[in-house]
Amino acid sequence: MVTHGGRTARALISGAAAVLLLAGCSSGAVIGTTAGTSTDAPPWPAPTDLTARAEAAGLSNVWGQKLAEHVHTHLTILDGGESVTVPGNIGHSDKTEFAAQIHTHDTSGIIHVESPTKDSFTLGQFFDEWGVSIGPAHVGGLHGDLTVWVDGRRFFGNPRSIELTNLRQVVLEVTTIGEVPHRPAPFDWPPQYH
């Protein structure tokens, strides 16, 4: 290699630095999440483009179709003991007559699964539809240790895989690193869900 006053070496170093800089400034998406999902801190609003978010989750509009499945799962998200609101109308709009197979009606944390076919639906699909990133160690941009509880028991797998089944209770608890998580109290289901 011929150098002219060190120009070649400087050019190589500058080129390598540019490649590293560009690699570090890529999309910012978290690996293992669906495109368009938020890694920001809450609050996380309900999406406005229901069709696009449903499609990102592998869902579609089933408004008005006869149901073969109708179950409810409750989701609680705790950030250092503070409850994070799960918005109403994720995947649902009376105004536009839109209802994805997975949706919410209100801020109770109750996730409705209403489908014309009997299928398995997961918490990961719900978060993809919501547009919030979730994985084995994070919920959106919440920082700390993630403990997952399913029906009052610790769950050690990827929370994306949790199946949404009838009267299931899922708690995603983010605590300060090293803090001991505490089993949350069970959700008190309203009588109409029993």
Side-chain angles (χ1 to χ4, degrees):
M1 174 183 308
V2 178
T3 61
H4 299 284
R7 285 182 292 177
T8 303
R10 281 193 302 272
L12 286 172
I13 291 170
S14 295
V19 168
L20 290 173
L21 181 62
L22 288 173
C25 293
S26 64
S27 70
V30 175
I31 294 171
T33 63
T34 298
T37 57
S38 175
T39 56
D40 295 334
W44 302 302
T48 54
D49 188 344
L50 299 181
T51 301
R53 291 311 323 162
E55 288 173 358
L59 305 170
S60 60
N61 185 6
V62 296
W63 182 278
Q65 295 183 30
K66 184 177 178 180
L67 301 179
E69 183 169 38
H70 189 181
V71 300
H72 304 93
T73 295
H74 186 264
L75 173 64
T76 301
I77 302 171
L78 298 172
D79 177 17
E82 296 294 318
S83 186
V84 174
T85 301
V86 177
N89 291 320
I90 296 171
H92 184 270
S93 170
D94 288 328
K95 183 178 177 182
T96 62
E97 296 188 342
F98 188 96
Q101 291 96 325
I102 304 171
H103 59 267
T104 63
H105 291 283
D106 54 34
T107 60
S108 66
I110 296 174
I111 301 170
H112 298 253
V113 176
E114 300 175 12
S115 176
T117 59
K118 284 212 172 264
D119 287 312
S120 293
F121 297 95
T122 65
L123 189 64
Q125 285 178 288
F126 176 72
F127 273 84
D128 290 346
E129 180 180 34
W130 188 2
V132 176
S133 174
I134 184 173
H138 76 281
V139 180
L142 297 180
H143 299 288
D145 285 333
L146 173 62
T147 303
V148 180
W149 304 88
V150 177
D151 295 331
R153 295 190 176 120
R154 291 282 301 265
F155 177 85
F156 292 97
N158 188 336
R160 293 186 58 79
S161 69
I162 296 170
E163 189 175 345
L164 304 177
T165 61
N166 203 36
L167 302 182
R168 174 159 276 175
Q169 298 178 43
V170 177
V171 178
L172 305 174
E173 181 181 11
V174 179
T175 56
T176 303
I177 294 173
E179 181 182 346
V180 177
H182 299 284
R183 182 170 39 193
F187 177 66
D188 187 15
W189 285 95
Q192 67 267 30
Y193 290 96
H194 291 282

